Amino acid sequence: MNYSVRQGDTVAKVANAFQIRPFDLVLFNPRLTSEHEYIQPGMILHIPNTQNPQQKLDLFDHRLEFGPNELDEMIPTFKKLGVRVEVIGFSVMKKPIYALSIGRGKKEIFYSGGWHANEWHTSKFLTKFVYELATAYESQNDWYGYNIVEVLEKIKLFVVPLVNPDGVELVQQGIYSNHPYYDEVVRINKGETRFEHWSSNIRGVDLNHQWPAGWEIEAKESPQTPWSRHYSGTEPLTEPEVKAVYRLSKRLAFAHVVAFHSQGQVIYWGYRGLEPECSKQMVERLALVSSYLPVHTADSDGGYKDWFIQETGRPGFTVEVGIGTNPLPNKAFAEIWSNNVLLALEGLVI
Ligand SMILES: [Zn+2]
């Protein structure tokens, strides 16, 4: 049979949907030269018949990429589990930006991920974390020694797992000729059509360089035109993805925030000495349950955590999961999950 590639597909995702091996998909489609080749919407793939279908992989399996389609797929499950789902805005390409929330307490806590396109493991991590947390809550089970019912009576956790859906799709699928930003993206990328290094949104603005906290300083030292990373934009808060998180952060009174990125296995906890004293003890607790190293600052400005600390005087953290060149290989998810699940739990009780 034939299959017409959809937006957001990858070789691994299509193979999994038809319960075949990515390897077989490549074998049956001579125009594919490797399992990592981009496949474009509308491209027709031959799906081989197989007598021995592979077992369908879990959405969070370490062999699969996780992007906007996979998050969409989880939404009905979240609703069934009693997780509140809110669309807080739309990306440049009009993809919904979801905020999930769980818990009934007064203290509001905020986790976010998928800021940088090639750091989509953080979106996968946060989506799985909310799913497991909601499952433990529903069944009233402890989870790694944490009494989830008790924890969620005291707090309300908000999670935006994927701030940059357009960018993540670009990294996983590449650009295709009828994409409305085709010319712009290829121009920014100087004619290259691989995007593993891309961390900006689809307009070439770095969503973690957009925050009004030392923005001018950061902008002056960064690329001056749209770029695959580090371009701060013409002024703070120009991008719809950033505006969505900004509105949410202004509307609610987060006691503390944790922004997940994926470079270095460290936890940044300060910003120009504006952080409160308790930040230090809090980061020490997060470090103990993750094995990651606390680092005061990255000596940079314009990030979400920086803005949150400056704006509220409350604790803000950037957790850099994983180590290596982004995007980390799919299998890096094992390390990310195992080193961060207790950190994310501890973050609810510090
Ligand atoms: Zn990042």
Side-chain angles (χ1 to χ4, degrees):
M1 69 172 287
N2 287 340
Y3 170 75
S4 175
V5 172
R6 290 183 319 151
Q7 218 173 311
D9 278 345
T10 65
V11 169
K13 289 180 195 178
V14 172
N16 187 46
F18 289 97
Q19 294 179 261
I20 58 173
R21 298 175 302 179
F23 173 74
D24 291 323
L25 197 59
V26 173
L27 269 185
F28 271 75
N29 291 274
R31 56 196 284 200
L32 295 180
T33 55
S34 93
E35 293 173 26
H36 302 290
E37 193 153 322
Y38 290 138
I39 50 175
Q40 310 203 328
M43 183 177 172
I44 301 296
L45 293 177
H46 304 297
I47 309 294
N49 281 322
T50 168
Q51 301 303 318
N52 302 303
Q54 301 292 304
Q55 209 177 355
K56 210 159 183 186
L57 303 174
D58 183 89
L59 208 56
F60 303 111
D61 188 275
H62 67 271
R63 281 160 285 194
L64 295 174
E65 299 87 0
F66 189 94
N69 290 357
E70 289 64 42
L71 179 55
D72 276 341
E73 205 177 316
M74 281 299 292
I75 297 301
T77 307
F78 280 136
K79 288 181 175 164
K80 245 182 263 167
L81 282 167
V83 174
R84 293 174 293 271
V85 178
E86 187 188 346
V87 174
I88 58 167
F90 292 89
S91 67
V92 171
M93 295 290 292
K94 304 281 181 276
K95 286 188 170 54
I97 297 170
Y98 294 107
L100 312 170
S101 63
I102 182 169
R104 303 201 301 200
K106 278 214 164 67
K107 183 179 182 179
E108 294 165 335
I109 295 170
F110 181 46
Y111 292 174
S112 57
W115 288 89
H116 286 141
N118 57 0
E119 301 181 9
W120 52 262
H121 283 85
T122 58
S123 305
K124 186 175 185 174
F125 170 75
L126 284 172
T127 308
K128 179 171 170 158
F129 178 74
V130 175
Y131 171 66
E132 302 276 357
L133 186 71
T135 305
Y137 192 34
E138 197 194 34
S139 57
Q140 309 202 333
N141 282 338
D142 281 12
W143 191 22
Y144 295 117
Y146 291 80
N147 182 328
I148 299 304
V149 172
E150 229 170 65
V151 169
L152 292 178
E153 287 302 309
K154 291 191 187 124
I155 64 134
K156 197 180 284 170
L157 174 67
F158 288 81
V159 179
V160 175
L162 181 46
V163 178
N164 184 7
D166 303 345
V168 168
E169 191 181 276
L170 179 69
V171 166
Q172 294 182 355
Q173 182 162 50
I175 196 75
Y176 38 92
S177 46
N178 58 348
H179 191 295
Y181 282 81
Y182 180 88
D183 290 339
E184 204 167 328
V185 164
V186 173
R187 190 168 56 239
I188 293 169
N189 216 29
K190 313 294 181 287
E192 285 294 333
T193 50
R194 291 297 308 191
F195 297 94
E196 279 84 356
H197 59 291
W198 193 280
S199 65
S200 301
N201 74 352
I202 202 74
R203 289 203 288 229
V205 181
D206 190 319
L207 303 180
N208 206 38
H209 272 230
Q210 268 264 288
W211 292 84
W215 179 88
E216 291 79 4
I217 305 164
E218 195 66 36
K220 212 193 284 174
E221 297 167 352
S222 302
Q224 299 299 301
T225 54
W227 211 266
S228 58
R229 61 177 194 161
H230 292 182
Y231 173 57
S232 304
T234 50
E235 57 183 324
L237 307 174
T238 55
E239 299 310 289
E241 299 88 351
V242 170
K243 282 179 184 158
V245 178
Y246 178 79
R247 284 193 301 266
L248 184 77
S249 304
K250 292 294 270 187
R251 189 183 94 204
L252 300 165
F254 296 131
H256 59 267
V257 301
V258 185
F260 288 83
H261 288 258
S262 72
Q263 201 47 263
Q265 301 187 331
V266 297
I267 311 169
Y268 297 110
W269 57 278
Y271 178 61
R272 295 187 173 267
L274 298 170
E275 68 283 357
E277 255 173 50
C278 60
S279 293
K280 191 162 190 295
Q281 289 97 54
M282 288 167 77
V283 78
E284 280 163 5
R285 283 176 63 181
L286 296 178
L288 278 180
V289 292
S290 63
S291 79
Y292 289 179
L293 192 71
V295 176
H296 183 245
T297 69
D299 281 330
S300 61
D301 295 273
Y304 173 69
K305 157 197 73 85
D306 308 332
W307 170 78
F308 180 82
I309 291 173
Q310 178 184 284
E311 177 83 3
T312 66
R314 296 194 287 267
F317 305 93
T318 297
V319 175
E320 297 280 0
V321 308
I323 200 156
T325 305
N326 284 324
L328 301 172
N330 292 9
K331 65 186 180 195
F333 190 67
E335 182 277 323
I336 291 170
W337 177 259
S338 63
N339 280 328
N340 285 279
V341 62
L342 295 184
L343 178 151
L345 278 166
E346 187 72 6
L348 306 179
V349 299
I350 51 177

PDB file of all heavy atoms in Angstrom, residues 115-116 119 199 208 260-263 320 326, ligand 1:
ATOM      1  N   TRP A 115      11.607  25.146  24.240  1.00  0.00           N
ATOM      2  CA  TRP A 115      11.887  26.531  23.849  1.00  0.00           C
ATOM      3  C   TRP A 115      12.725  26.563  22.581  1.00  0.00           C
ATOM      4  O   TRP A 115      12.499  27.344  21.675  1.00  0.00           O
ATOM      5  CB  TRP A 115      12.674  27.239  24.960  1.00  0.00           C
ATOM      6  CG  TRP A 115      11.910  27.554  26.186  1.00  0.00           C
ATOM      7  CD1 TRP A 115      11.734  26.753  27.283  1.00  0.00           C
ATOM      8  CD2 TRP A 115      11.206  28.778  26.468  1.00  0.00           C
ATOM      9  NE1 TRP A 115      10.970  27.403  28.222  1.00  0.00           N
ATOM     10  CE2 TRP A 115      10.643  28.642  27.753  1.00  0.00           C
ATOM     11  CE3 TRP A 115      11.009  29.968  25.759  1.00  0.00           C
ATOM     12  CZ2 TRP A 115       9.890  29.654  28.343  1.00  0.00           C
ATOM     13  CZ3 TRP A 115      10.270  30.975  26.334  1.00  0.00           C
ATOM     14  CH2 TRP A 115       9.708  30.811  27.627  1.00  0.00           C
ATOM     15  N   HIS A 116      13.725  25.694  22.585  1.00  0.00           N
ATOM     16  CA  HIS A 116      14.645  25.622  21.454  1.00  0.00           C
ATOM     17  C   HIS A 116      14.308  24.412  20.594  1.00  0.00           C
ATOM     18  O   HIS A 116      14.129  23.308  21.101  1.00  0.00           O
ATOM     19  CB  HIS A 116      16.089  25.573  21.962  1.00  0.00           C
ATOM     20  CG  HIS A 116      16.548  26.903  22.474  1.00  0.00           C
ATOM     21  ND1 HIS A 116      17.330  27.046  23.595  1.00  0.00           N
ATOM     22  CD2 HIS A 116      16.299  28.146  22.009  1.00  0.00           C
ATOM     23  CE1 HIS A 116      17.558  28.354  23.792  1.00  0.00           C
ATOM     24  NE2 HIS A 116      16.939  29.026  22.841  1.00  0.00           N
ATOM     25  N   GLU A 119      15.826  21.032  20.916  1.00  0.00           N
ATOM     26  CA  GLU A 119      15.833  20.515  22.289  1.00  0.00           C
ATOM     27  C   GLU A 119      14.476  19.890  22.609  1.00  0.00           C
ATOM     28  O   GLU A 119      13.959  20.011  23.719  1.00  0.00           O
ATOM     29  CB  GLU A 119      16.185  21.652  23.262  1.00  0.00           C
ATOM     30  CG  GLU A 119      17.551  22.255  22.935  1.00  0.00           C
ATOM     31  CD  GLU A 119      17.972  23.382  23.882  1.00  0.00           C
ATOM     32  OE1 GLU A 119      17.314  23.607  24.903  1.00  0.00           O
ATOM     33  OE2 GLU A 119      18.985  24.040  23.565  1.00  0.00           O
ATOM     34  N   SER A 199      17.662  26.274  16.517  1.00  0.00           N
ATOM     35  CA  SER A 199      16.990  26.353  17.822  1.00  0.00           C
ATOM     36  C   SER A 199      15.945  27.473  17.878  1.00  0.00           C
ATOM     37  O   SER A 199      15.121  27.507  18.778  1.00  0.00           O
ATOM     38  CB  SER A 199      18.015  26.480  18.964  1.00  0.00           C
ATOM     39  OG  SER A 199      18.722  27.674  18.880  1.00  0.00           O
ATOM     40  N   ASN A 208      14.339  32.217  23.639  1.00  0.00           N
ATOM     41  CA  ASN A 208      14.912  32.445  24.972  1.00  0.00           C
ATOM     42  C   ASN A 208      15.904  33.614  24.960  1.00  0.00           C
ATOM     43  O   ASN A 208      16.738  33.749  25.856  1.00  0.00           O
ATOM     44  CB  ASN A 208      15.572  31.167  25.503  1.00  0.00           C
ATOM     45  CG  ASN A 208      15.602  31.137  27.028  1.00  0.00           C
ATOM     46  OD1 ASN A 208      14.646  31.581  27.681  1.00  0.00           O
ATOM     47  ND2 ASN A 208      16.691  30.646  27.608  1.00  0.00           N
ATOM     48  N   PHE A 260      13.129  24.046  31.018  1.00  0.00           N
ATOM     49  CA  PHE A 260      13.985  22.928  30.626  1.00  0.00           C
ATOM     50  C   PHE A 260      14.611  23.181  29.249  1.00  0.00           C
ATOM     51  O   PHE A 260      13.930  23.522  28.294  1.00  0.00           O
ATOM     52  CB  PHE A 260      13.189  21.619  30.594  1.00  0.00           C
ATOM     53  CG  PHE A 260      12.833  21.104  31.969  1.00  0.00           C
ATOM     54  CD1 PHE A 260      11.718  21.593  32.643  1.00  0.00           C
ATOM     55  CD2 PHE A 260      13.625  20.150  32.599  1.00  0.00           C
ATOM     56  CE1 PHE A 260      11.393  21.135  33.916  1.00  0.00           C
ATOM     57  CE2 PHE A 260      13.306  19.675  33.868  1.00  0.00           C
ATOM     58  CZ  PHE A 260      12.196  20.172  34.533  1.00  0.00           C
ATOM     59  N   HIS A 261      15.922  23.008  29.203  1.00  0.00           N
ATOM     60  CA  HIS A 261      16.692  23.070  27.954  1.00  0.00           C
ATOM     61  C   HIS A 261      17.539  21.808  27.888  1.00  0.00           C
ATOM     62  O   HIS A 261      17.485  20.976  28.800  1.00  0.00           O
ATOM     63  CB  HIS A 261      17.564  24.334  27.946  1.00  0.00           C
ATOM     64  CG  HIS A 261      16.750  25.583  27.769  1.00  0.00           C
ATOM     65  ND1 HIS A 261      16.668  26.249  26.576  1.00  0.00           N
ATOM     66  CD2 HIS A 261      15.968  26.266  28.639  1.00  0.00           C
ATOM     67  CE1 HIS A 261      15.870  27.300  26.711  1.00  0.00           C
ATOM     68  NE2 HIS A 261      15.435  27.347  27.951  1.00  0.00           N
ATOM     69  N   SER A 262      18.358  21.669  26.828  1.00  0.00           N
ATOM     70  CA  SER A 262      19.118  20.413  26.803  1.00  0.00           C
ATOM     71  C   SER A 262      20.576  20.596  26.419  1.00  0.00           C
ATOM     72  O   SER A 262      21.014  20.171  25.373  1.00  0.00           O
ATOM     73  CB  SER A 262      18.445  19.365  25.909  1.00  0.00           C
ATOM     74  OG  SER A 262      18.555  19.672  24.556  1.00  0.00           O
ATOM     75  N   GLN A 263      21.316  21.236  27.289  1.00  0.00           N
ATOM     76  CA  GLN A 263      22.743  21.317  27.024  1.00  0.00           C
ATOM     77  C   GLN A 263      23.583  21.400  28.288  1.00  0.00           C
ATOM     78  O   GLN A 263      23.721  22.476  28.859  1.00  0.00           O
ATOM     79  CB  GLN A 263      23.048  22.519  26.130  1.00  0.00           C
ATOM     80  CG  GLN A 263      24.374  22.405  25.404  1.00  0.00           C
ATOM     81  CD  GLN A 263      24.568  21.050  24.751  1.00  0.00           C
ATOM     82  OE1 GLN A 263      25.221  20.179  25.316  1.00  0.00           O
ATOM     83  NE2 GLN A 263      23.996  20.832  23.576  1.00  0.00           N
ATOM     84  N   GLU A 320      19.363  22.171  32.360  1.00  0.00           N
ATOM     85  CA  GLU A 320      19.933  21.726  31.077  1.00  0.00           C
ATOM     86  C   GLU A 320      20.070  20.218  31.125  1.00  0.00           C
ATOM     87  O   GLU A 320      21.014  19.684  31.697  1.00  0.00           O
ATOM     88  CB  GLU A 320      21.299  22.386  30.846  1.00  0.00           C
ATOM     89  CG  GLU A 320      21.257  23.901  30.730  1.00  0.00           C
ATOM     90  CD  GLU A 320      20.823  24.388  29.340  1.00  0.00           C
ATOM     91  OE1 GLU A 320      20.551  23.546  28.465  1.00  0.00           O
ATOM     92  OE2 GLU A 320      20.756  25.626  29.149  1.00  0.00           O
ATOM     93  N   ASN A 326      23.109  19.016  20.192  1.00  0.00           N
ATOM     94  CA  ASN A 326      21.670  18.978  19.955  1.00  0.00           C
ATOM     95  C   ASN A 326      21.372  18.788  18.476  1.00  0.00           C
ATOM     96  O   ASN A 326      22.099  19.326  17.644  1.00  0.00           O
ATOM     97  CB  ASN A 326      21.034  20.285  20.432  1.00  0.00           C
ATOM     98  CG  ASN A 326      20.917  20.326  21.946  1.00  0.00           C
ATOM     99  OD1 ASN A 326      20.662  19.315  22.579  1.00  0.00           O
ATOM    100  ND2 ASN A 326      21.109  21.499  22.518  1.00  0.00           N
TER     101      ASN A 326
HETATM  102 ZN    ZN B   1      17.983  25.768  25.022  1.00  0.00          ZN
END
